[in-house]
Amino acid sequence: MGKVLKVSAETFTDFGKGKKYFIRTYGCQMNERDSETLAGILVAMGYRRAARMEEADLIIFNTCCVRETAERKIYGRLNALRPLKKRRPDLLIGVGGCMAQKDKERVLAKAPHVDFVFGTHNIQELPELIGRAAAQAEPVVQVWEEGQASLLDLPAQREGKLKAYVTITYGCTNFCTYCIVPYVRGKEQSRPLQDIINEVTQLAREGYKEVTLLGQNVNTYGRDLERGVSFARLLREVNQVEGIQRIRYTTSHPRDFSEEIIEAVRDCDKVCEHFHLPIQAGSNRVLERMNRGYTREDYLELVDRIREEVPNNSITTDIIVGFPGEEEEDFAATLDIVRRVRFDNAFTFVFSPRSGTPAANMKDQVPEEVKKERLNRLMELQDRISKEINEELRGREVEVLVEGTSQKEGRFLTGRTRTNKLVLFPGAEELMGQLVTVRITRPQTWNLYGELV
Ligand code: SAH
Ligand code: SF4
Ligand code: F3S
């Protein structure tokens, strides 16, 4: 366990007075939430947010390394900062997050104009790192192997006024054989239940209407806490918080989605009927080699139970194609389960070997062209299904939380259904933040167009 640093008022220097920051975030919602904390610390140091990167005195990249494509993009963008840094040597550039945690030396080798690199457990040290980076010529590197740092209460500058992320677990201890997350985020740790309730209560007081409970595997929340604390209980308690209208959570692990959780979702009026259940593959042989801990039969049974208990739901998923050893027959099993379940939507990925994970060293890696070809077939099938499912909503009335506006094709309000589908409809901006009823007039594969009822 790394040291735990207390963040106190004097840690926040006035260093940022009169200066501006810009944060660019890659990866998942946990990273988005971390960026809100980075911003919170910077504001406490006196920084203001820059509207554009070019105006900033401090640029931070909060990075992701889950797939190689993510890393390549980040290195490209970092490289593009070179001329800016050359023109303005006082500009500070920092790289944090999962890629920094994994490859601190590589970041500095590939991007020597970076001033500081910090790991996922070092967020609370930001003021000190910035101070040191400004004072010395050599880059500052601070990456702890482990830590509880993120369990501390740190200030946050939240991105929205209506919807907020609330972290419930940090890290992951599942070690799916393809996945780098457990190596860069540390072991799974649950936040105390009362801290979460306090945070949600405070958010409700500030006018937030929706919370998304975050963790790599929210279903095992509480496993490391006192007896009786579980994800199901957490849902029931968050459901009691006055003022909050919608509760979402991500990500669920199909292995740990218990009957108790289904019942909690069914019973809690604020918990939305959207289930994001990453299946990853439809072949039992592949699922086993992925160390996912369930079979396709288990998964189908879970879907049946959910559809029985919680009607009018949506189910979405993540799928990886081209896992090492995936034969055409295994891929056919993935297509088959996609047809059987009929997901509302699927996030589909080509397997990307991550060095240090077991799958990267497995023999029988699938050739790149085969992976791409399978991905295309899968996406084609899923798009058709998404479109068919949305088509069933034509003429139906849905509840939408009005969240924003879209300038596309004239003026539309935007919002999501309880099932997490994006709806666009004409209306007055005063409706922002309200729950309204919309009749779907024009369903599409990704979005639904409608009109206010
Ligand atoms: N904790 C979440 C997912 C985190 S990563 C869960 O267990 O569902 C998000 C998605 O990225 C995963 O669901 C998986 O589909 C995909 N992914 C993770 N590692 C990958 C890799 N090495 N190659 C391709 N896709 C990967
Ligand atoms: Fe990665 Fe598996 Fe953990 Fe998800 S559950 S973060 S896929 S190891
Ligand atoms: Fe990426 Fe880290 Fe999230 S690797 S997906 S940002 S936990």
Side-chain angles (χ1 to χ4, degrees):
M1 187 56 45
K3 293 175 287 174
V4 175
L5 257 197
K6 271 263 168 280
V7 175
S8 56
E10 60 267 30
T11 324
F12 299 120
T13 60
D14 281 342
F15 189 87
K17 278 241 168 80
K19 300 193 187 116
K20 289 185 184 172
Y21 73 87
F22 189 91
I23 301 175
R24 172 162 269 154
T25 310
Y26 298 88
C28 64
Q29 291 100 328
M30 334 282 149
N31 253 21
E32 286 175 30
R33 180 62 190 82
D34 283 350
S35 287
E36 294 179 342
T37 299
L38 293 172
I41 294 174
L42 294 177
V43 167
M45 288 174 73
Y47 279 97
R48 277 176 311 129
R49 179 186 180 138
R52 299 182 317 125
M53 197 160 71
E54 290 70 21
E55 294 169 9
D57 304 280
L58 167 67
I59 297 173
I60 295 181
F61 277 30
N62 191 12
T63 62
C64 171
C65 58
V66 77
R67 281 171 294 275
E68 203 199 329
T69 43
E71 292 190 3
R72 225 181 295 140
K73 192 157 80 188
I74 295 166
Y75 279 119
R77 292 288 184 91
L78 267 180
N79 206 28
L81 288 182
R82 272 177 207 249
L84 194 62
K85 175 75 181 177
K86 203 164 210 169
R87 247 187 295 137
R88 292 177 34 211
D90 283 351
L91 168 69
L92 287 177
I93 302 176
V95 178
C98 297
M99 193 184 83
Q101 181 75 26
K102 178 165 80 82
D103 289 329
K104 50 184 188 286
E105 275 93 20
R106 186 155 174 248
V107 170
L108 290 177
K110 293 191 82 158
H113 53 301
V114 164
D115 298 284
F116 61 102
V117 177
F118 59 106
T120 55
H121 306 295
N122 303 90
I123 290 174
Q124 76 293 347
E125 293 172 283
L126 192 61
E128 192 197 325
L129 299 179
I130 292 173
R132 274 166 54 201
Q136 70 184 56
E138 315 77 61
V140 174
V141 178
Q142 185 77 317
V143 177
W144 286 348
E145 284 311 308
E146 275 183 81
Q148 276 189 309
S150 40
L151 293 170
L152 296 169
D153 272 329
L154 293 165
Q157 279 289 112
R158 298 199 184 253
E159 278 301 311
K161 296 265 169 281
L162 281 176
K163 306 200 286 183
Y165 291 132
V166 177
T167 306
I168 67 166
T169 65
Y170 298 99
C172 181
T173 324
N174 285 300
F175 291 98
C176 302
T177 54
Y178 50 81
C179 185
I180 195 73
V181 171
Y183 305 89
V184 293
R185 285 276 168 171
K187 66 170 198 285
E188 183 181 290
Q189 296 177 67
S190 304
R191 267 180 88 193
L193 186 103
Q194 198 52 50
D195 288 9
I196 298 169
I197 300 300
N198 291 348
E199 184 174 344
V200 176
T201 308
Q202 181 57 31
L203 287 166
R205 259 187 228 129
E206 292 168 19
Y208 285 88
K209 300 280 189 271
E210 178 179 309
V211 291
T212 301
L213 309 176
L214 289 185
Q216 294 296 349
N217 177 359
V218 290
N219 308 146
T220 47
Y221 169 78
R223 187 162 59 172
D224 53 337
L225 298 177
E226 67 267 33
R227 274 181 81 98
V229 178
S230 65
F231 183 59
R233 173 159 159 215
L234 177 68
L235 284 180
R236 288 182 191 274
E237 296 207 9
V238 176
N239 197 56
Q240 307 282 317
V241 177
E242 223 172 290
I244 295 296
Q245 293 177 331
R246 285 178 167 187
I247 301 165
R248 301 186 188 278
Y249 50 90
T250 199
T251 300
S252 296
H253 195 305
R255 181 195 60 211
D256 301 309
F257 210 100
S258 62
E259 190 58 33
E260 204 196 352
I261 298 175
I262 300 177
E263 283 164 14
V265 175
R266 179 196 63 197
D267 297 345
C268 295
D269 57 330
K270 297 173 186 169
V271 176
C272 291
E273 296 78 22
H274 170 221
F275 298 81
H276 183 63
L277 286 166
I279 185 168
Q280 313 297 4
S283 145
N284 283 340
R285 204 175 64 87
V286 173
L287 284 171
E288 176 152 16
R289 282 160 60 95
M290 287 178 160
N291 189 32
R292 288 292 288 177
Y294 53 84
T295 61
R296 59 185 274 126
E297 292 77 22
D298 295 335
Y299 191 94
L300 287 168
E301 202 178 305
L302 175 62
V303 166
D304 281 348
R305 289 291 302 132
I306 288 172
R307 287 185 172 153
E308 250 164 58
E309 292 289 333
V310 188
N312 296 320
N313 63 35
S314 68
I315 301 182
T316 57
T317 200
D318 293 353
I319 299 172
I320 298 175
V321 301
F323 186 81
E326 184 188 75
E327 302 283 347
E328 181 56 31
E329 187 188 321
D330 298 306
F331 178 63
T334 295
L335 292 178
D336 178 70
I337 208 156
V338 166
R339 278 190 212 102
R340 276 170 199 252
V341 175
R342 291 179 66 78
F343 294 106
D344 289 79
N345 198 358
F347 298 92
T348 51
F349 309 104
V350 158
F351 169 72
S352 170
R354 306 281 69 206
S355 69
T357 64
N361 296 326
M362 287 180 186
K363 288 189 228 56
D364 47 31
Q365 298 282 330
V366 176
E368 221 45 51
E369 326 75 80
V370 177
K371 289 187 202 171
K372 292 238 170 73
E373 187 263 340
R374 286 183 187 162
L375 183 73
N376 286 338
R377 276 152 73 196
L378 176 61
M379 283 167 61
E380 217 168 278
L381 170 64
Q382 180 55 48
D383 286 358
R384 204 179 70 225
I385 294 171
S386 297
K387 192 153 192 267
E388 284 168 9
I389 292 177
N390 284 349
E391 190 55 43
E392 287 163 22
L393 290 171
R394 190 185 290 274
R396 294 255 294 273
E397 292 181 3
V398 292
E399 179 200 281
V400 173
L401 176 64
V402 187
E403 291 163 20
T405 56
S406 154
Q407 307 302 335
K408 267 194 301 181
E409 304 169 50
R411 202 167 183 76
F412 284 106
L413 294 176
T414 60
R416 287 189 183 264
T417 62
R418 290 177 63 94
T419 54
N420 208 34
K421 293 180 196 259
L422 188 70
V423 183
L424 296 99
F425 56 98
E429 267 183 51
E430 293 83 74
L431 291 174
M432 203 84 84
Q434 292 185 31
L435 288 173
V436 297
T437 304
V438 175
R439 182 179 303 108
I440 303 304
T441 52
R442 203 152 47 88
Q444 298 185 338
T445 310
W446 310 112
N447 307 328
L448 306 167
Y449 286 86
E451 57 196 24
L452 270 172
V453 175

